[in-house]
Amino acid sequence: MVDLHCHIIPYIDDGARSIEVACAMAKHSWQNGVDTIVATPHCNLKNVRPNYRDSEYQVVFSTFRAVLEQKNIPVKLLPGAEVFAHEDNIRELIDEKKLVTINHSHYLLVEFPFNQTPHQITRTLQSIARRGLIPIIAHPERYEAVQRTPFVVASWFEQGFVIQLNKGSLLGRLGQSAYKCSHTLIENGLAHVIASDAHDMKHRPPAFCSLKEELNLEPHYFQLLLEDNPTRIINDEPLPHPKDFI
């Protein structure tokens, strides 16, 4: 399986707080069937480390990948970022090629303020797409507007934007509203990917071993969300329509 959204690199954001925690996350993922992790530190958050595509990011990423090799943890680590999509600078950052896409593909993982309106989100997504990138919407089930009207996601879906749900939402660990919304989306085929969005080993752990017990999905749909589609994304390939698989 491929974990497309994980805050595993230590010391870089609010994810892993130490090398020991980060390595434990990687080892736990590997032991539970995840062979590839895309490291997606928060990017473009104001007043914190920007994590743009620069030498500093590359050093931090390469250093941690070397640590995994030294400790004989065979999980494959790929570059990425969870980009906060500020309307005031996202276009400039894309034009100047400052953002880390998923494994240097055309896919860009983006998040939005939880209280932003569907119109604001749509406008930014369309702006990203016009610049040649395919936005992956991180955890839309956590956004207030989507929780009120889950089928607003259908519009984003039909425009070719990728929908990524959080494991924690589906397990009820991120609140009842996110739980209900995520299940509504997945049961109606409005999801492309499930990712861990892991930050640690205690409160927001990695791996997907508990999902199979929680989700009553056809095996081929489960595989689509956790393996096939994430693999297509890291290989910069187009995605099939999930409604064909439910």
Side-chain angles (χ1 to χ4, degrees):
M1 292 180 285
V2 177
D3 191 352
L4 205 69
H5 179 177
C6 187
H7 298 264
I8 192 170
I9 299 179
Y11 311 121
I12 196 171
D13 64 356
D14 63 343
R17 297 298 188 182
S18 68
I19 291 177
E20 290 74 21
V21 169
C23 288
M25 292 168 68
K27 186 175 182 179
H28 179 71
S29 296
W30 173 259
Q31 292 173 337
N32 287 278
V34 175
D35 56 20
T36 303
I37 296 175
V38 182
T40 53
H42 289 291
C43 169
N44 199 37
L45 290 178
K46 293 182 178 179
N47 302 316
V48 299
R49 187 173 184 168
N51 294 328
Y52 295 143
R53 182 186 176 195
D54 56 19
S55 58
E56 183 180 15
Y57 174 92
Q58 185 59 46
V59 167
V60 172
F61 175 83
S62 299
T63 299
F64 180 58
R65 186 156 61 179
V67 168
L68 293 179
E69 293 175 357
Q70 291 167 4
K71 293 184 176 293
N72 296 315
I73 301 174
V75 68
K76 185 176 183 179
L77 191 72
L78 298 178
E82 182 183 17
V83 180
F84 201 89
H86 291 293
E87 284 189 289
D88 58 353
N89 75 345
I90 187 71
R91 293 178 293 275
E92 177 184 345
L93 292 173
I94 294 172
D95 292 342
E96 295 179 357
K97 301 186 184 304
K98 287 186 176 181
L99 299 179
V100 182
T101 58
I102 300 297
N103 196 31
H104 308 302
S105 70
H106 288 86
Y107 290 94
L108 182 72
L109 181 67
V110 293
E111 66 171 333
F112 296 88
F114 284 9
N115 62 353
Q116 203 162 59
T117 68
H119 175 71
Q120 290 173 308
I121 294 173
T122 299
R123 186 170 58 202
T124 303
L125 291 169
Q126 291 173 341
S127 180
I128 293 169
R130 283 195 296 270
R131 282 160 174 78
L133 297 179
I134 303 169
I136 303 173
I137 308 170
H139 45 65
E141 76 279 0
R142 303 186 69 193
Y143 303 151
E144 294 171 9
V146 178
Q147 291 175 354
R148 289 192 297 268
T149 312
F151 290 102
V152 69
V153 170
S155 172
W156 300 336
F157 194 98
E158 295 302 329
Q159 292 179 70
F161 309 142
V162 179
I163 309 301
Q164 177 256 300
L165 304 182
N166 272 11
K167 176 192 76 170
S169 298
L170 291 160
L171 294 175
R173 295 174 180 169
L174 298 174
Q176 190 65 18
S177 295
Y179 175 80
K180 290 180 179 179
C181 186
S182 62
H183 279 262
T184 296
L185 295 177
I186 203 167
E187 289 165 8
N188 286 275
L190 293 173
H192 296 90
V193 175
I194 298 173
S196 74
D197 193 5
H199 283 63
D200 52 43
M201 282 298 296
K202 183 177 181 181
H203 302 290
R204 297 175 69 175
F208 304 108
C209 49
S210 53
L211 269 181
K212 290 185 179 180
E213 301 173 2
E214 174 68 27
L215 298 181
N216 184 26
L217 299 180
E218 293 292 334
H220 54 275
Y221 188 31
F222 198 85
Q223 179 175 321
L224 181 78
L225 297 169
L226 288 170
E227 185 172 347
D228 294 350
N229 276 348
T231 298
R232 290 183 177 102
I233 288 170
I234 63 176
N235 290 332
D236 209 12
E237 298 171 352
L239 302 185
H241 204 298
K243 286 186 177 180
D244 296 335
F245 290 80
I246 63 173

